[in-house]
Amino acid sequence: MSTSPEKPVLIVFGAGGHGRVAADAALFSGAFARVVAADRNPAAWGTEMLPGVPVLRPDELSALPAPLAVHIAIGNNPVRRQEAARLAAEWPLAQLATIVHPSASVAASARVAPGCLMTAQCVVGPMAELGEGVIVNHGAVVDHDCRIAAWAHIAPGVKLGGAVQVGEAALVGAGSTVLRNLRVGAGATLGAGAVLLQDLPDGAAWAGVPARPLALASA
Ligand SMILES: CC(C)(COP(=O)(O)OP(=O)(O)OC[C@H]1O[C@@H](n2cnc3c(N)ncnc32)[C@H](O)[C@@H]1OP(=O)(O)O)[C@@H](O)C(=O)NCCC(=O)NCCS
């Protein structure tokens, strides 16, 4: 007789808007025994982030039963990366949870590292790779062979053509399009609604159609 592994209790760190999106996807996924939230801001403690998802106080968190899973629901990429490192030291036994909304389409051949969030209606194509803590937000398309480095955020409605590379902690803004084979640099920002026609350098902020450095985009 086979025994199915016990579902973990999920702690969503970050009780803001992005936390609500992550918790909603986690509830829909059915992958967790229970979903609770945590936040550094004491004003959030004792309230509900969503119906049925309480924001627990620190002493209540430490009383939760194993197995535990944690998900860092912070939209700011560098802060999300930093909080993951802090929580790994603080909660060494908790696993970093990946959350997949049931309406997300994730290819069987895609490789997804721990801590990712794939929300409603997104698509992750064949042979695509998502590094640790990547967000693929509502309705975004990460097409075949794309490589998204750790802690990057692919915002709602983005379209990444095939084999696009996105560097660590980059933000690809809502509704933007990146043509195939291009690279968005590490720590770079592509503005909402942009169309990227050439590589975006590390740390740069570009916007517009076609995308150009931000000061030029508004000229
Ligand atoms: C590109 C972006 C990062 C710039 O933010 P910012 O540095 O605060 O810039 P500002 O809002 O001060 O705007 C600076 C100038 O760029 C222009 N600009 C800002 N965003 C733009 C965009 N997406 N496309 C074209 N022009 C843009 C502004 O109109 C402004 O022009 P001005 O100097 O002529 O007035 C931001 O506007 C953006 O698009 N962020 C993406 C947000 C997103 O998708 N988040 C995901 C949520 S889930």
Side-chain angles (χ1 to χ4, degrees):
M1 192 175 73
S2 67
T3 54
S4 54
E6 203 179 337
K7 290 181 183 179
V9 172
L10 176 68
I11 308 171
V12 174
F13 279 91
H18 186 61
R20 278 192 283 283
V21 170
D24 179 73
L27 291 169
F28 265 109
S29 76
F32 304 98
R34 189 180 167 206
V35 179
V36 301
D39 201 285
R40 276 177 174 240
N41 179 7
W45 299 349
T47 62
E48 278 197 322
M49 178 168 72
L50 283 178
V53 180
V55 185
L56 298 188
R57 306 177 64 86
D59 58 316
E60 295 174 305
L61 285 176
S62 54
L64 287 171
L68 288 179
V70 299
H71 183 84
I72 322 295
I74 295 173
N76 180 297
N77 298 332
V79 175
R80 191 164 73 263
R81 175 172 56 192
Q82 184 186 316
E83 283 297 292
R86 187 181 69 79
L87 285 167
E90 203 173 298
W91 300 64
L93 296 181
Q95 53 178 279
L96 201 55
T98 286
I99 301 173
V100 187
H101 192 282
S103 70
S105 171
V106 183
S109 58
R111 294 224 308 255
V112 176
C116 291
L117 173 64
M118 284 156 275
T119 67
Q121 309 269 321
C122 75
V123 176
V124 178
M127 303 301 285
E129 291 181 22
L130 306 184
E132 192 173 57
V134 163
I135 302 166
V136 184
N137 224 319
H138 297 119
V141 175
V142 174
D143 213 335
H144 65 90
D145 300 293
C146 283
R147 284 167 51 198
I148 316 299
W151 312 110
H153 181 176
I154 313 301
V158 166
K159 304 279 186 276
L160 301 184
V164 163
Q165 292 183 44
V166 176
E168 182 162 330
L171 168 63
V172 183
S176 63
T177 298
V178 180
L179 299 196
R180 71 191 181 100
N181 293 330
L182 293 181
R183 180 174 187 275
V184 174
T189 299
L190 183 63
V195 176
L196 188 67
L197 302 181
Q198 61 189 99
D199 287 352
L200 201 172
D202 290 353
W206 287 19
V209 182
R212 295 187 291 167
L214 199 54
L216 298 177
S218 58

